[in-house]
Amino acid sequence: MSGHSKWKTNKGKKALADAKKGAAYTKIIKEITMCAREGGGNPDNNIKLRTLMARAKEANMPSDNVKMAIKRGTGEIPGVVYETVMYEAYGPGGVAILIEALTDNKNRTTAELRNIMSKKNGSMAGAGSVSYMFTKKGYMLIEKSQAQEEELMTIALDAGAEDFKSDEKNYEITTSPQDFEKVKEALQAKGIKMQDAEVTMIPSTSIKVTGGDAKQVLALVEALEDHDDVQQVYANFDIPDEILEEMASDN
């Protein structure tokens, strides 16, 4: 199982209950606004918007907040204009990091992310330095208690999934971005609950990181994720479960 996905899942179990809920709302709202601006405000015709609205509902975000974000995106009410910026970086141990930000001031965001990097033993990299290691995919994580392996594999592959993996505790399903919603809906129709379901960037290779480097990598990733303009952080680390769980429980 991918290290970064496991880290996000461990953190996610408590994220909605803690003081960061407000920050999570802010990030989803910005993403909904941008998505509506690019693809329109009708979720029936904008798959990404539909996915974001589902995320907002899972986070118990008031529906009025979602409606206002969509209207800002479509121009029905005035709002700040955001642009998407991708940053590439290296963390401790040579871990490759992709940072997706939504900002109304690129210069400010760039300076602030450089500052985080310098404080947390990371370094910004030039365009193309690490992005070639990542591919956009649909990703689903399911606990083994939810389904029998053969049954789940059949449902997923019949619906268009590209790959199916399992470890001691979980199943992982990957899809093309285009087939993500179709596979997700096929699983939901069977009553199968997912720990994580998103279109994300999957690394082609991973780097094993242990000890002090592992803790430094996770501290850097968390500092980046906590920045108001950062929407997603993708990284190719592979860190032992016990360190992931220890760090997640400390936060």
Side-chain angles (χ1 to χ4, degrees):
M1 178 179 177
S2 103
H4 194 217
S5 298
K6 195 175 290 185
W7 165 242
K8 286 174 65 181
T9 301
N10 283 339
K11 284 185 65 186
K13 287 177 182 176
K14 62 185 283 296
L16 297 182
D18 68 16
K20 293 181 182 177
K21 181 182 282 188
Y25 280 7
T26 301
K27 293 188 180 195
I28 296 173
I29 285 169
K30 286 168 71 172
E31 202 167 354
I32 287 172
T33 299
M34 186 74 172
C35 181
R37 192 180 90 187
E38 292 177 345
N42 185 347
D44 293 335
N45 302 324
N46 187 338
I47 292 174
K48 185 178 179 183
L49 179 60
R50 193 159 71 237
T51 302
L52 288 170
M53 289 174 70
R55 261 178 58 198
K57 187 174 181 180
E58 288 167 9
N60 295 317
M61 182 184 292
S63 59
D64 285 350
N65 293 27
V66 175
K67 290 173 185 174
M68 293 288 280
I70 292 172
K71 286 182 177 180
R72 278 195 293 272
T74 57
E76 293 174 67
I77 57 175
V80 176
V81 176
Y82 297 109
E83 64 174 316
T84 300
V85 186
M86 295 294 288
Y87 296 94
E88 304 184 33
Y90 290 104
V95 168
I97 301 173
L98 266 184
I99 307 159
E100 182 180 338
L102 267 181
T103 179
D104 60 348
N105 186 328
K106 183 179 175 181
N107 290 338
R108 183 203 68 230
T109 301
T110 301
E112 289 174 357
L113 293 184
R114 283 189 186 281
N115 187 41
I116 291 172
M117 284 288 171
S118 67
K119 288 180 177 178
K120 297 288 185 180
N121 300 305
S123 60
M124 300 294 263
S129 299
V130 304
S131 57
Y132 73 92
M133 302 181 200
F134 295 83
T135 306
K136 184 175 279 192
K137 294 286 182 185
Y139 174 83
M140 292 156 216
L141 178 68
I142 300 160
E143 285 186 346
K144 284 200 164 181
S145 60
Q146 285 293 312
Q148 293 296 316
E149 185 165 349
E150 285 190 19
E151 178 193 8
L152 183 62
M153 187 186 301
T154 299
I155 295 167
L157 295 178
D158 285 352
E162 291 182 346
D163 199 10
F164 182 98
K165 295 178 182 176
S166 66
D167 63 18
E168 293 175 7
K169 298 179 182 177
N170 303 288
Y171 303 114
E172 283 187 303
I173 297 168
T174 52
T175 75
S176 68
Q178 295 78 13
D179 289 333
F180 170 72
E181 283 292 326
K182 188 168 64 172
V183 176
K184 182 181 173 184
E185 287 169 6
L187 296 176
Q188 288 174 330
K190 297 291 185 180
I192 297 167
K193 294 180 181 178
M194 288 156 271
Q195 282 184 280
D196 190 16
E198 62 181 340
V199 175
T200 185
M201 300 294 282
I202 303 288
S204 55
T205 59
S206 60
I207 292 180
K208 287 190 179 294
V209 192
T210 58
D213 277 352
K215 293 184 177 183
Q216 286 186 2
V217 167
L218 295 179
L220 170 59
V221 168
E222 182 157 26
L224 292 169
E225 289 177 337
D226 284 347
H227 190 282
D228 286 346
D229 294 339
V230 172
Q231 296 298 113
Q232 298 287 345
V233 179
Y234 310 104
N236 72 338
F237 60 72
D238 181 3
I239 291 174
D241 287 359
E242 57 270 20
I243 297 179
L244 289 174
E245 288 163 9
E246 176 191 339
M247 292 291 286
S249 63
D250 286 346
N251 288 283

